[in-house]
Amino acid sequence: MRNSGSNTALPRLPQAGRGFTLLELLVVMVIIGLLAGYVGPKYFSQVGKSEIKVARAQIDAFDKALEQYRLDTRHFPTMEQGLESLIARPASEAKWDGPYLKKAVPLDPWGNPYVFKMPGEHGEYDLLSYGRDGQPGGTGEAADIVNW
């Protein structure tokens, strides 16, 4: 076969049927498994640290919004009003000048609602997330994230 106007032959295609041996595939799979075993835990520990940082940042934003609420109304919301009073005017609040948050009150990074206690045990109010496990106490990623 000739190319029009050229004396060069077309490149020769490799022979069909040549593939990888089972041993070669097993070696590659072992290498991939070792890499995943080394990189995976490091990656997922960073995700856990990021969730904790997000929870701390959200609690800090709630603290600031609650302080602004107190400046306007001369008191913090009651437990019944909760954090939702930062978004919508409670019926009994004539001096409310919100909303104090740009968006609706989010869940914590693990999908649980933040806990607001008024009066607080550690300050005028307590604001916390129970962490990954959703239970009081805990250590590491399961530790409570608090405003005190």
Side-chain angles (χ1 to χ4, degrees):
M1 230 182 197
R2 289 176 147 285
N3 234 346
S4 61
S6 172
N7 290 335
T8 60
L10 292 175
R12 189 172 179 175
L13 297 175
Q15 291 180 339
R18 174 121 170 98
F20 295 106
T21 65
L22 181 59
L23 182 60
E24 291 170 328
L25 290 174
L26 288 174
V27 168
V28 169
M29 289 176 61
V30 166
I31 291 171
I32 290 173
L34 289 172
L35 287 173
Y38 178 73
V39 173
K42 291 186 182 289
Y43 171 75
F44 287 113
S45 73
Q46 293 302 318
V47 170
K49 289 177 186 175
S50 297
E51 290 171 332
I52 292 168
K53 287 179 183 178
V54 166
R56 285 190 180 130
Q58 287 177 334
I59 287 175
D60 185 51
F62 296 149
D63 275 334
K64 290 175 180 158
L66 286 164
E67 284 298 326
Q68 187 63 46
Y69 181 100
R70 184 184 63 83
L71 287 172
D72 290 345
T73 63
R74 308 276 190 249
H75 60 85
F76 289 110
T78 64
M79 276 190 59
E80 293 77 31
Q81 292 169 331
L83 295 176
E84 292 302 320
S85 63
L86 300 173
I87 298 297
R89 177 192 300 267
S92 61
E93 293 297 342
K95 295 181 181 180
W96 189 87
D97 194 27
Y100 301 98
L101 294 174
K102 291 181 181 180
K103 299 179 181 177
V105 177
L107 298 174
D108 71 11
W110 302 280
N112 302 312
Y114 284 95
V115 178
F116 174 70
K117 295 179 183 178
M118 179 65 188
E121 298 171 15
H122 303 277
E124 293 182 85
Y125 62 89
D126 290 348
L127 185 57
L128 62 133
S129 164
Y130 287 131
R132 178 176 293 285
D133 65 353
Q135 302 295 320
T139 59
E141 291 180 24
D144 299 347
I145 296 112
V146 298
N147 71 325
W148 59 87

